[in-house]
Amino acid sequence: MSITLEAVRAALAAVIDPNTGKDLVSSKSAKNIQISGSDIALDVELGYQAKSQIDLIRSSVIAALKPVPGMGQISAHVFSKIVAHSVQAGVKLLPNVRNIIAVASGKGGVGKSTTAANLALALAAEGATVGLLDADIYGPSQPMMMGVSGKPESHDGKTMEPLENHGVQIASIGFMIDPDQPMVWRGPIVTQALQQLLEQTRWRDLDYLVVDMPPGTGDIQLTLSQKVPVTGAVIVTTPQDIALLDARKGLKMFEKVGIPIIGIVENMSMHVCSHCGHAEPIFGEGGGEKMCADYGVDFLGKLPLAMAIREQSDSGKPTVVADPDGMVAQIYKEIARKVAVKVADKAKDMTSKFPSIVVKND
């Protein structure tokens, strides 16, 4: 009995990608279906990095195809392909950077930098090429958090090489100043310095650049949001009402400049006692989820207020690399997959597909 393409597609339509919630046919993930007698070969293309999910999806494809009458050998090649997605109108993409994810909060002290570092590391753990830009000029923390020191090198006198640790490329003003030196710069100079840091760093073929934004919603943050080609923003908050008040301002700022909100991360959602394991909602409960419901955005996940997260970040080995199989690292990885899926759902940037038009006067 010969296998038909229709039967194969019907079987694949029943396979749901656990990360996107969509079947492989309607999402156009199943490609290059080749039938040779009773054998079949196909590709499954994921628009997001998910090295940990490949075996699971391949097994699901094989399990769905096996019952097809006459089925012989099945070869399913599951892989990720990350492309550039659209950004704010009138802002050009950066060379060698496909997608920029801004991690922001309306106020300081909510764990935004810790979240940004672990998000970058979690994306890298899934097989993506990732960069991390420390955009907090006044208080750069990523050098310490990522366990990196030293001065960036320049091979051409015009651009800087990013430093690298834990498989992530990193740029920060902290690499260029003394740790004890205060940055007594006014807003326009800070904005200019940050743009130079972003544009003059020679990023190496990044799938994602995670930007640890400075806290607040003032002139610096607004200018950055208008000039940096951001694919989407992640808002970090705690459940506390006062933090949520500022987080809402941050969300509205991104909306005003046309940057979509990928979702909200609730940090310090529950204090976990390091001695007995008792959990207590010190900063309140459900604030992040209520904010998501109010604004119609996705709730990406919540993280506990745990001493280990702080200790690991201070040591230069954030949780995702310090304890990759632990519960908290798994939460960060789930958040990272949700972020990558949301980015993949966005419209693709097609500017690279169009040739440059040059008008000459003869």
Side-chain angles (χ1 to χ4, degrees):
M1 184 177 182
S2 60
I3 301 170
T4 65
L5 181 60
E6 289 74 18
V8 170
R9 289 178 65 84
L12 292 172
V15 181
I16 305 298
D17 182 328
N19 301 292
T20 65
K22 298 176 182 177
D23 71 82
L24 300 185
V25 175
S26 67
S27 64
K28 299 181 180 178
S29 298
K31 299 176 180 289
N32 305 323
I33 300 171
Q34 304 289 329
I35 299 172
S36 177
S38 61
D39 299 336
I40 184 169
L42 75 152
D43 294 333
V44 178
E45 181 183 301
L46 308 178
Y48 57 94
Q49 281 289 3
K51 187 167 66 173
S52 66
Q53 307 291 295
I54 284 176
D55 287 342
L56 171 66
I57 293 172
R58 183 188 295 114
S59 298
S60 299
V61 169
I62 292 171
L65 289 173
K66 270 185 177 178
V68 175
M71 183 61 68
Q73 293 292 320
I74 303 168
S75 174
H77 174 48
V78 184
F79 65 97
S80 297
K81 182 181 178 182
I82 312 303
V83 301
H85 292 81
S86 58
V87 297
Q88 315 94 294
V91 184
K92 291 184 178 180
L93 296 181
L94 288 180
N96 301 319
V97 179
R98 280 180 274 282
N99 300 285
I100 294 182
I101 300 163
V103 179
S105 63
K107 69 191 297 291
V110 298
K112 168 186 54 62
S113 294
T114 304
T115 301
N118 279 290
L119 173 61
L121 291 165
L123 288 168
E126 290 287 9
T129 307
V130 182
L132 177 60
L133 175 69
D134 189 351
D136 193 347
I137 298 293
Y138 292 121
S141 56
Q142 292 301 345
M144 179 180 179
M145 204 166 279
M146 293 292 288
V148 188
S149 60
K151 304 284 185 184
E153 294 182 356
S154 176
H155 300 320
D156 58 7
K158 298 177 182 177
T159 59
M160 299 174 292
E161 299 296 316
L163 275 67
E164 189 167 339
N165 200 20
H166 308 310
V168 173
Q169 300 171 39
I170 309 155
S172 172
I173 197 74
F175 296 140
M176 303 172 208
I177 60 170
D178 187 283
D180 298 326
Q181 179 184 340
M183 301 304 292
V184 286
W185 291 352
R186 294 190 184 276
I189 299 175
V190 171
T191 304
Q192 184 181 358
L194 193 47
Q195 273 195 276
Q196 287 181 322
L197 194 63
L198 181 70
E199 295 169 3
Q200 294 178 10
T201 299
R202 217 161 70 92
W203 303 107
R204 298 186 294 273
D205 194 34
L206 298 183
D207 294 318
Y208 308 101
L209 174 61
V210 177
V211 179
D212 180 9
M213 293 281 286
T217 54
D219 181 61
I220 295 168
Q221 291 81 1
L222 186 60
T223 304
L224 280 175
S225 301
Q226 290 170 329
K227 293 187 176 181
V228 177
V230 180
T231 316
V234 172
I235 305 293
V236 180
T237 186
T238 68
Q240 190 178 7
D241 289 344
I242 199 75
L244 288 162
L245 187 68
D246 290 326
R248 290 170 189 266
K249 294 174 185 174
L251 185 147
K252 297 300 286 185
M253 179 193 73
F254 284 115
E255 284 186 347
K256 283 182 183 295
V257 294
I259 295 174
I261 304 299
I262 293 172
I264 293 172
V265 173
E266 187 182 274
N267 217 4
M268 309 180 199
S269 64
M270 193 74 65
H271 172 253
V272 180
C273 178
S274 56
H275 295 293
C276 67
H278 173 69
E280 188 174 12
I282 290 177
F283 295 113
E285 290 183 89
E289 288 160 302
K290 184 180 184 303
M291 183 175 163
C292 288
D294 290 344
Y295 289 97
V297 298
D298 288 356
F299 186 67
L300 299 174
K302 55 186 177 180
L303 292 144
L305 176 61
M307 188 183 295
I309 298 176
R310 193 272 304 164
E311 290 174 338
Q312 289 156 352
S313 296
D314 285 352
S315 73
K317 290 184 69 177
T319 306
V320 169
V321 289
D323 186 18
D325 298 320
M327 178 198 71
V328 174
Q330 295 310 310
I331 296 172
Y332 279 123
K333 288 176 181 178
E334 286 173 19
I335 290 171
R337 278 198 297 274
K338 289 178 182 177
V339 168
V341 166
K342 286 287 288 183
V343 169
D345 276 346
K346 287 199 64 189
K348 295 179 182 178
D349 180 84
M350 305 303 290
T351 53
S352 61
K353 304 292 184 185
F354 299 114
S356 299
I357 298 173
V358 179
V359 178
K360 292 183 177 180
N361 294 322
D362 293 328

